Amino acid sequence: MTRLKLTTRLEEWPTHSPFRITGKVWTSVPLLIVEVSDGEHTGRGEGAGVYYRDDTPAKMIRTVETVREAIEAGITRAELQQLLPPGGARNAVDCALWELEARQKETTVMALAGIADPRPLVTVCTVGADTPEAMAQQALAYGGVPALKLKLTEDPSNADRVRAVRAACPKAWIGVDANQGLNRATTEKLLPVLLEANVALLEQPVVAGQDASLDGLKSRIPLAADESAQSLADLPSLIGRYQVVNIKLDKCGGLTEALEIARQASVLGLKVMVGNMLGTSWSMAPAYVVGQHCDVVDLDGPLLLGRDRDVAATYRDGRIEISPLVWGGTDAAAFA
């Protein structure tokens, strides 16, 4: 096995404006960058971590450094699954190993993943939680994109938020994300409003671990598990409570497990969604691979930043397309 050289660093990327969800406001996004080189080729990985589990880039970089010797000895992606638990640290290393392998074989990560003809994807564009009027203006500022995701909170303004955005964007597909801000009673109270507004998806209404409170809930709107679906091990607990699983590479620990979640979720009859924990195009690109298998795509993270990588994903008319020159392909790509 060829010895590898591991490089790690922390970066901070400002948001273009404060981004609010239940219990959290971002003004910048800290990231862990991992590079793994064989001396000729280099693979890159980016991880944001999982903020509500205190899985921060500052902690992630220490985690990666504790296994530096094993990585540099020439670790495989399969071995990495046993070396590190799910989370942002494993995600960054796993993605770097995927890109390294693609470059060594003079191919792309898409091809390694068995995807011969990747397609542009419709991605939701996220509207951060704010006043109803401000959220309507946020939605309109996207310029008529086909899909929106509204962040809701634990306060009583959710119904007015949904109504305001629907009035402003009558033709858009709309999903809403409570980020654990509701409970069984407030979910039941909100559902008629969501139906009236033709909302297509309700994401993570209740606190993770309290999912049994959803047992018997009669909802004509599909429910998506996000915080309740951290890794492959959580899939069985979703059956009967959720209809969609939101896969995020920072949660499950990389592209390797994300692809397996997508496969097994389909076997279990769950629809699949790919999301992100914010980040640059280096985070979106491996998730874009998973997105080729997904029913719902939420990969608009760079749109919430003040800037992106110099070689970056293309967003046009509510669709995302990511060239292998951004990540996952030839060494000819500039390291932006």
Side-chain angles (χ1 to χ4, degrees):
M1 181 70 69
T2 302
R3 284 197 64 84
L4 304 174
K5 180 181 178 181
L6 170 69
T7 304
T8 62
R9 68 179 183 272
L10 297 176
E11 296 181 349
E12 190 92 9
W13 291 72
T15 60
H16 67 69
S17 60
F19 176 61
R20 180 188 174 209
I21 67 170
T22 298
K24 177 74 173 176
V25 179
W26 281 268
T27 56
S28 65
V29 180
L31 298 169
L32 166 64
I33 307 301
V34 167
E35 295 180 357
V36 180
S37 174
D38 64 4
E40 181 180 359
H41 307 285
T42 300
R44 302 158 295 168
E46 177 179 289
V50 186
Y51 70 92
Y52 51 84
R53 292 167 52 195
D54 200 28
D55 180 33
T56 65
K59 291 184 177 180
M60 289 153 49
I61 196 170
R62 293 196 294 270
T63 297
V64 174
E65 290 297 336
T66 64
V67 294
R68 170 180 287 275
E69 183 176 346
I71 293 171
E72 293 192 329
I75 195 169
T76 66
R77 287 187 285 107
E79 291 167 342
L80 178 66
Q81 307 310 300
Q82 305 304 315
L83 183 67
L84 290 176
R90 193 175 80 185
N91 174 35
V93 178
D94 183 69
C95 290
L97 292 175
W98 271 95
E99 186 177 54
L100 176 62
E101 181 180 348
R103 289 176 165 180
Q104 289 170 331
K105 294 180 177 178
E106 298 185 345
T107 186
T108 66
V109 170
M110 281 286 185
L112 288 179
I115 300 166
D117 189 21
R119 68 193 192 283
L121 302 172
V122 173
T123 178
V124 303
C125 292
T126 303
V127 178
D130 208 323
T131 66
E133 297 77 15
M135 291 181 70
Q137 289 304 309
Q138 283 185 56
L140 287 170
Y142 281 118
V145 295
L148 296 166
K149 184 166 91 167
L150 316 185
K151 291 292 189 177
L152 305 183
T153 69
E154 67 280 7
D155 67 50
S157 301
N158 289 327
D160 291 336
R161 289 170 169 142
V162 173
R163 292 187 181 111
V165 175
R166 174 51 79 199
C169 303
K171 296 182 179 180
W173 181 100
I174 292 179
V176 299
D177 184 3
N179 285 113
Q180 310 181 82
L182 305 177
N183 55 38
R184 172 64 178 256
T186 54
T187 298
E188 289 184 323
K189 184 176 180 180
L190 186 61
L191 279 173
V193 176
L194 302 184
L195 281 169
E196 181 183 356
N198 194 27
V199 168
L201 188 71
L202 170 56
E203 191 175 341
Q204 197 64 46
V206 301
V207 174
Q210 298 181 10
D211 309 281
S213 67
L214 297 173
D215 289 350
L217 178 68
K218 305 297 183 183
S219 175
R220 289 158 53 191
I221 298 173
L223 304 184
D226 180 1
E227 288 87 345
S228 293
Q230 294 293 315
S231 67
L232 188 62
D234 293 322
L235 285 184
S237 68
L238 308 181
I239 305 302
R241 293 169 180 163
Y242 297 95
Q243 293 73 50
V244 182
V245 55
N246 187 349
I247 303 168
K248 292 180 179 175
L249 275 65
D250 275 300
K251 292 188 303 182
C252 70
L255 178 57
T256 301
E257 182 157 324
L259 289 169
E260 183 61 18
I261 293 173
R263 188 189 71 80
Q264 292 201 25
S266 296
V267 170
L268 292 171
L270 293 165
K271 291 187 178 297
V272 286
M273 171 181 180
V274 65
N276 70 97
M277 299 298 293
L278 298 179
T280 75
S281 286
W282 289 1
S283 285
M284 301 309 116
Y288 182 70
V289 178
V290 183
Q292 302 296 316
H293 301 290
C294 289
D295 304 282
V296 179
V297 173
D298 177 8
L299 295 180
D300 67 335
L303 298 181
L304 303 173
L305 301 178
R307 64 181 182 89
D308 196 2
R309 303 288 176 183
D310 291 341
V311 182
T314 299
Y315 291 91
R316 184 178 297 112
D317 300 326
R319 288 169 172 79
I320 180 174
E321 186 169 10
I322 303 182
S323 163
L325 294 175
V326 176
W327 177 91
T330 173
D331 280 322
F335 278 17

